[in-house]
Amino acid sequence: NAGVTQTPKFQVLKTGQSMTLQCAQDMNHNSMYWYRQDPGMGLRLIYYSASEGTTDKGEVPNGYNVSRLNKREFSLRLESAAPSQTSVYFCASSEVSGGRETQYFGPGTRLLVL
Amino acid sequence: GNSVTQMEGPVTLSEEAFLTINCTYTATGYPSLFWYVQYPGEGLQLLLKATKADDKGSNKGFEATYRKETTSFHLEKGSVQVSDSAVYFCALDDYKLSFGAGTTVTVRA
């Protein structure tokens, strides 16, 4: 039981390049999330998917797109990377969204945009 | 909107010292409250949670009590170990999870 997995672990991009961060969970959870973590700012929600087939914007969605490919997988795409997107990205999942559910986090992807 | 404020770090302690990390929140509804911990190089993991006022969450020697009257959820541990060195995040969930900025704790042997 791997929980939440993310690939890649680390990536360096040049400004303007695109890339997709992959996330998968094997806990049969309905809801999945993408966060970014920046020093002194905690985690900020980029996008979330309450259930398969739905996605919604979070606090900081600009410059990102997401795809809920199926119940297990939720990808985050940067179409044209900018230095401001240098961050650590975490994917998370929970059984359902909202209220009292514990979120389970992946190990993170460290992204550097030059 | 909802927000979480936690004490700034970093906090450096000696082994067996008492640890308190303050956390206060602002919410319009009746959120659940969480403490997550992030060990070096890892993702976040749930440490403890409380879902209603006066609930006490506890795990691994850590405790926090949901105080509605003071809108607080302070984390405490009576005797820390080197293995408790980590970043601690307070969070509230009122249909979306909102995190505090995190407090870095270092425990020296």
Side-chain angles (χ1 to χ4, degrees), chain A residues 3-23:
Chain A
V4 180
T5 57
Q6 293 182 234
T7 56
K9 284 188 168 52
F10 181 72
Q11 183 72 46
V12 179
L13 292 178
K14 294 181 181 177
T15 297
Q17 287 185 316
S18 63
M19 81 162 293
T20 299
L21 282 64
Q22 306 288 352
C23 173

Side-chain angles (χ1 to χ4, degrees), chain A residues 89-106:
Chain A
Y89 292 85
F90 288 100
C91 178
S93 71
S94 63
E95 192 166 334
V96 294
S97 66
R100 300 158 184 198
E101 296 298 319
T102 299
Q103 291 189 18
Y104 295 83
F105 286 80

Side-chain angles (χ1 to χ4, degrees), chain A residues 24-37:
Chain A
Q25 52 91 9
D26 62 2
M27 295 174 282
N28 202 35
H29 284 168
N30 289 297
S31 303
M32 298 184 74
Y33 312 83
W34 276 105
Y35 294 90
R36 59 178 289 173
Q37 182 183 26

